[in-house]
Amino acid sequence: MATYDLVVIGTGPGGYVCAVRASQLGMKVAVVEKNATLGGTCLNVGCMPSKALLHASEMFEEATHSFAKMGVSVSAPKLDLPVMMNFKQQGIDGNVKGVEFLMKKNKVDVLKGTGKILGTGKVEVSADGKSQVIETKNIVIATGSDIARLKGIEIDEKRIVSSTGALSLDKVPGKLLIVGAGVIGLELGSVWHRLGAEVVVVEFLDRILPGMDGEIAKQFQRILEKQGFAFKLGAKVTAVDTSGKTLKATIEPAAGGAAETLEADVVLVCIGRVPYTDGLGLKEAGVALDARGRVQIDPHFATSLKGVYAIGDVVAGPMLAHKAEDEGVAVAEIIAGQAGHVNYDVIPGVVYTTPEVSSVGKTEEELKQAGVAYTVGKFPFTANGRSKVNQTTDGFVKILADAKTDRVLGVHIIGREAGEMIHEACVLMEFGGSAEDLARTCHAHPTRSEAVKEAALAVGRRAIHM
C-alpha cells in the first residue's frame, strides 16, 4: 500500500500548485485525476482555451475592421474555423504538458482515476473497474466546480451548450442566445460575435456582470451594445423548443409578465458554476457541506474531518483559478507547519473581452452598504496619450480610497490591457498603500498605465491631463 504525506484530489490550478508547493516543502506527494489530462477545467475547457479563441477572434476582427485605417492593406480575411480550433488545441496541449512536466520535476506521483475519501488518511482511487487504497497523512480536496444547469433545459453540447460546448462549435451560429450576462457569457459571446454571430444575452438581473462595480458595468454594456450585442435584462429563459430546425427559446420577465419567443441556432447556458463533489464520499466520511453544497472549512482550510482540507471552487469565495492557486500554496504551507495565508480583499478579477474589464477590492456599492466614507478618482482613456495614438480610447480607470486615511480600497478599470494594469493596484493594496503613494510613483510615458496614476491624482482632485 502506497503511503504519502499529502494526496491532492484534482489537478486544476489549485490542486497542482498545492502539490508543487508541498513537494518544495519536502513532502512526498501524489495527485489524483479522473480525467485523461491534467489541468482541470481551467486548462482544458475553461480559462486557457477561451483566451486562445478570444485572441484569435480579436485578430480576425482587427484584420477585418482596423488594419485599413492604419495603412495596412490586406484582402478581406477568411475564417478557417477548424484551423482556429487547432490553434486553440495547441495551446491546451502545451499547457497540459507543462503541468505534466511540473509533476515529474517535483517528483509528484500522478494517480489516474476517481478519488474517494474513505476516512482520515485513506483515499480510494478507482479506474477501469479496479481500485487501490492510498494511505496519506493529509488530504486536500481540489475538485473544482461544474456548470450550473437550468431546470427543464437539457444541455446536449451541440445546440444547447455549456461553456465547454461553446468552445468547440463546428460552425459559427447565425444567432447565438446566451443565458447569463456574467464573465463567461460575455467572453464567449465576444468570440462568436467577432466571427459573425448575432448575439443576444438574457440576464435575470437588471444589470450585466453581477458583483462588479455598477458604473463600470453600465459603461461596459454600452460598449458591447455599440459592438453589436443585444441585451434583455430582468428576463429569464423558461424553455427551449428543440423540435425545429432552429431553437425557440421562451423568455419571460423576471418579475412576471407576458412571454416572448426568440429563435436561435445555438443557446449557450452560462448561469454560473457549482462545487464538484460527486463520488468523493464526503457524507460517508464525515466531511460537512454548507447549504450551497460547498465543503465547509475553517480559517486554515481544514474540513470537519481530521487531516482533510479543501481549496478552490469547491469552497466558498470567488471561483477563480488564481484564488485557488493562492489557497493551494497556503494550505501546503499550513500542513508543513508554516503560516500560509490568503488575503481575500486583494484578489483581482478580469473579463478578457475587448476592451477588458478588471477589478480588485471593494466596489462603490459595497462601500456604501458598509457605510465607509470614500473618495473617487477617475481618469478616461480618451485623455491618455498612448490610447489616443492607438485609437483605443474606450473606458476609464476608477480608484476608491478611504476618505480619512487615503488607503486604496478598490480599483476598477475598463480598457485595453486592463487585466495587466490591475496588478500594480494589487501590489499597492497588499502593502496598504494610499492613492497618494500611487500618484507619486513615476510611470513610464507613453503607456496606458499612466491612466492609473492620473486616477490616483484625481482622488486628490489634481489630475494633470484632464
Side-chain angles (χ1 to χ4, degrees):
M1 185 183 291
T3 57
Y4 293 93
D5 295 309
L6 173 65
V7 170
V8 182
I9 305 176
T11 63
Y16 82 74
V17 167
C18 177
V20 169
R21 184 67 185 120
S23 177
Q24 289 176 345
L25 291 166
M27 296 184 218
K28 183 182 179 184
V29 185
V31 293
V32 180
E33 178 54 62
K34 65 182 176 60
N35 294 321
T37 55
L38 306 182
T41 295
C42 179
L43 270 66
N44 291 277
V45 290
C47 323
M48 295 306 187
S50 65
K51 302 311 160 286
L53 291 183
L54 280 160
H55 174 67
S57 62
E58 185 179 356
M59 293 301 98
F60 179 78
E61 186 170 63
E62 288 278 303
T64 304
H65 300 293
S66 301
F67 279 10
K69 68 181 181 183
M70 291 187 283
V72 180
S73 297
V74 296
S75 57
K78 294 180 180 179
L79 174 64
D80 189 330
L81 191 56
V83 172
M84 187 177 286
M85 289 297 173
N86 185 55
F87 170 78
K88 175 201 72 173
Q89 191 59 47
Q90 288 175 355
I92 294 171
D93 294 344
N95 280 310
V96 166
K97 287 174 183 174
V99 175
E100 290 173 355
F101 167 76
L102 288 174
M103 296 300 96
K104 290 176 182 175
K105 177 187 175 185
N106 290 281
K107 298 180 174 59
V108 175
D109 290 343
V110 177
L111 310 176
K112 288 297 181 76
T114 301
K116 181 178 181 180
I117 298 170
L118 300 180
T120 297
K122 284 185 169 56
V123 177
E124 181 183 66
V125 181
S126 303
D128 302 322
K130 300 176 182 177
S131 63
Q132 61 175 322
V133 176
I134 310 299
E135 287 197 349
T136 177
K137 295 176 184 175
N138 301 281
I139 301 167
V140 169
I141 301 168
T143 47
S145 58
D146 194 8
I147 56 170
R149 289 167 170 79
L150 267 176
K151 188 178 179 181
I153 298 175
E154 186 178 343
I155 293 172
D156 61 12
E157 300 296 15
K158 293 177 182 176
R159 300 171 78 198
I160 302 178
V161 300
S162 69
S163 54
T164 301
L167 289 165
S168 300
L169 298 178
D170 57 7
K171 64 180 178 180
V172 179
K175 291 185 178 181
L176 174 62
L177 175 64
I178 300 174
V179 187
V183 175
I184 296 170
L186 299 181
E187 287 185 354
L188 292 173
S190 292
V191 168
W192 295 108
H193 180 262
R194 292 169 190 164
L195 300 181
E198 180 184 325
V199 174
V200 178
V201 183
V202 178
E203 169 56 50
F204 187 80
L205 301 178
D206 60 359
R207 54 162 292 173
I208 70 170
L209 291 181
M212 282 257 185
D213 185 86
E215 184 182 13
I216 290 281
K218 285 179 183 176
Q219 172 85 340
F220 189 43
Q221 183 180 336
R222 285 194 288 269
I223 291 170
L224 290 176
E225 286 172 338
K226 191 176 176 183
Q227 290 177 3
F229 275 61
F231 291 94
K232 287 186 175 293
L233 304 179
K236 58 184 178 180
V237 176
T238 57
V240 179
D241 182 355
T242 61
S243 61
K245 188 175 181 182
T246 59
L247 301 170
K248 290 183 174 63
T250 303
I251 299 170
E252 299 177 8
E260 64 174 313
T261 301
L262 279 185
E263 290 193 11
D265 299 293
V266 173
V267 171
L268 165 57
V269 179
C270 44
I271 56 170
R273 298 183 66 83
V274 294
Y276 187 88
T277 58
D278 290 357
L280 278 172
L282 300 186
K283 185 178 180 181
E284 297 83 352
V287 176
L289 304 180
D290 68 14
R292 295 174 61 180
R294 301 173 299 195
V295 178
Q296 285 188 337
I297 54 172
D298 70 9
H300 297 101
F301 308 100
T303 71
S304 55
L305 181 62
K306 183 176 173 57
V308 179
Y309 304 81
I311 60 169
D313 287 4
V314 82
V315 303
M319 289 183 170
L320 297 169
H322 42 285
K323 176 254 196 186
E325 288 186 36
D326 275 15
E327 289 179 336
V329 170
V331 75
E333 292 174 347
I334 287 168
I335 291 169
Q338 298 184 6
H341 173 70
V342 177
N343 182 359
Y344 291 100
D345 290 328
V346 186
I347 295 180
V350 182
V351 189
Y352 296 93
T353 46
T354 303
E356 291 182 343
V357 180
S358 62
S359 175
V360 64
K362 301 298 184 184
T363 65
E364 279 206 66
E365 292 78 11
E366 288 171 334
L367 293 176
K368 286 175 183 174
Q369 188 175 5
V372 176
Y374 64 94
T375 50
V376 183
K378 288 191 285 189
F379 191 83
F381 285 106
T382 51
N384 172 262
R386 178 70 180 275
S387 299
K388 274 185 176 179
V389 296
N390 288 4
Q391 296 186 18
T392 53
T393 54
D394 280 338
F396 61 95
V397 180
K398 176 179 181 178
I399 295 177
L400 308 173
D402 188 286
K404 294 178 182 177
T405 66
D406 196 40
R407 181 173 179 166
V408 173
L409 303 174
V411 177
H412 309 276
I413 309 174
I414 177 168
R416 288 290 181 108
E417 299 174 4
E420 301 294 339
M421 285 188 283
I422 198 66
H423 295 108
E424 68 169 306
C426 296
V427 173
L428 179 90
M429 291 170 66
E430 194 65 50
F431 285 87
S434 66
E436 181 74 8
D437 292 328
L438 192 49
R440 294 283 180 184
T441 301
C442 188
H443 285 61
H445 175 78
T447 60
R448 292 187 178 92
S449 292
E450 287 177 286
V452 178
K453 175 179 178 175
E454 290 273 8
L457 286 165
V459 170
R461 295 188 173 90
R462 64 183 203 273
I464 300 296
H465 289 91
M466 73 171 188

